[in-house]
């Protein structure tokens, strides 16, 4: 796989529109986003080398195989006490997700070791309400026994099904074991092909 850094943007307004469809990755800080992105791309430090250290919030874009863009979104959930979703999830993130028409699916990364977190549930709720297509990727599953993974995911499913009739696609991943790479890339490929075929009609 050929992955190439294409730019880091402080807002959607300065992000060029171009030819390729986009797939975005998001999650709370330390969830394992950089590790997962590097694992998907078979790259040691793609995500780290290009993203700004510290709290700078940028949208980072990588071109994959001259076919699609991988979008590394900033983490959400910094402002905990707020009723304003813009503050909770971040203005830039919302703007990107709501307005980016060539974004086909956002992968929400969730730490498989934790019980369902309010902020993650609220974020997915917001995605559902606003009609943004998403999938879930559970991270760091190598740190758990299969039975523990099952148990944690079952808890999440239960919570999600309180509000939704259908569950999103769910991926079990580990950056260290390369778990889930094939599956995630396959979904991206399928979604991409479907979108491009629909456009041609
Ligand atoms: P920030 O960019 O700082 O918000 O974090 P991030 O979400 O990009 O997480 P990052 O990939 O930097 O990983 C955070 C920590 O978790 C690091 O110490 C990683 O080595 C570890 N980690 C990430 N993914 C995995 C995994 O699949 N398995 C294990 N065992 N550790 C992981
Ligand atoms: Mg990171």
């Amino acid at each position: 796989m050929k992955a190439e850094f294409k730019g880091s943007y402080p807002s959607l307004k300065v992000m060029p529109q171009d030819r390729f469809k986009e797939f975005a990755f998001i999650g709370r800080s330390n969830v394992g986003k950089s590790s997962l992105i590097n694992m998907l791309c078979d790259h040691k430090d793609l995500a780290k080398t290009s993203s700004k250290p510290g709290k700078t919030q940028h949208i980072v874009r990588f071109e994959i195989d001259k076919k699609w863009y991988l979008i590394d979104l900033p983490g959400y959930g910094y402002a905990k006490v707020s009723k304003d979703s813009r503050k909770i999830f971040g203005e830039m993130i919302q703007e990107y997700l709501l307005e980016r028409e060539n974004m086909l699916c956002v992968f929400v990364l969730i730490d498989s070791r934790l019980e369902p977190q309010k902020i993650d549930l609220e974020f997915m709720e917001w995605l559902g309400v606003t009609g943004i297509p998403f999938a879930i990727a559970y991270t760091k599953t190598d740190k758990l026994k299969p039975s523990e993974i099952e148990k944690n995911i079952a808890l999440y499913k239960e919570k999600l099904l309180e509000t939704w009739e259908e569950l999103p696609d769910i991926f079990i991943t580990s950056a260290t074991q390369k778990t889930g790479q094939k599956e995630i890339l396959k979904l991206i490929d399928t979604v991409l092909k479907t979108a491009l075929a629909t456009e041609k009609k």
Side-chain angles (χ1 to χ4, degrees), residues 26-89:
I26 196 166
R28 281 182 305 135
S29 186
N30 205 44
V31 70
K33 189 159 54 81
S34 300
S35 307
L36 181 75
I37 290 172
N38 291 334
M39 181 273 269
L40 285 178
C41 297
D42 284 321
H43 216 284
K44 261 214 198 104
D45 50 12
L46 184 74
K48 247 172 240 157
T49 47
S50 53
S51 68
K52 301 252 157 67
K55 289 230 168 90
T56 324
Q57 300 244 315
H58 277 229
I59 299 173
V60 181
R61 181 156 78 165
F62 303 97
E63 184 185 285
I64 311 294
D65 287 339
K66 302 229 174 292
K67 272 193 197 151
W68 56 278
Y69 291 124
L70 187 158
I71 307 295
D72 186 354
L73 292 172
Y76 57 73
Y78 291 109
K80 281 189 186 102
V81 278
S82 174
K83 288 242 182 295
D84 183 354
S85 65
R86 284 198 173 264
K87 293 214 181 78
I88 301 175
F89 305 136

Side-chain angles (χ1 to χ4, degrees), residues 128-142:
V129 169
T130 47
I132 296 162
F134 72 99
I136 299 177
Y138 286 100
T139 61
K140 311 187 187 183
T141 58
D142 56 281

Side-chain angles (χ1 to χ4, degrees), residues 115-174:
E115 58 183 47
Q117 302 287 301
K118 194 163 172 259
I119 184 75
D120 292 325
L121 290 166
E122 280 176 3
F123 184 67
M124 290 189 276
E125 176 85 32
W126 178 80
L127 290 174
V129 169
T130 47
I132 296 162
F134 72 99
I136 299 177
Y138 286 100
T139 61
K140 311 187 187 183
T141 58
D142 56 281
K143 294 195 175 180
L144 296 177
K145 291 191 201 115
S147 62
E148 293 171 323
I149 301 171
E150 293 269 314
K151 202 180 106 203
N152 283 356
I153 292 179
L155 279 174
Y156 254 103
K157 283 183 176 169
E158 211 176 281
K159 285 275 178 200
L160 288 168
L161 287 171
E162 283 174 12
T163 6
W164 306 109
E165 279 175 24
E166 257 181 277
L167 289 170
D169 281 312
I170 289 174
F171 297 94
I172 289 175
T173 78
S174 158

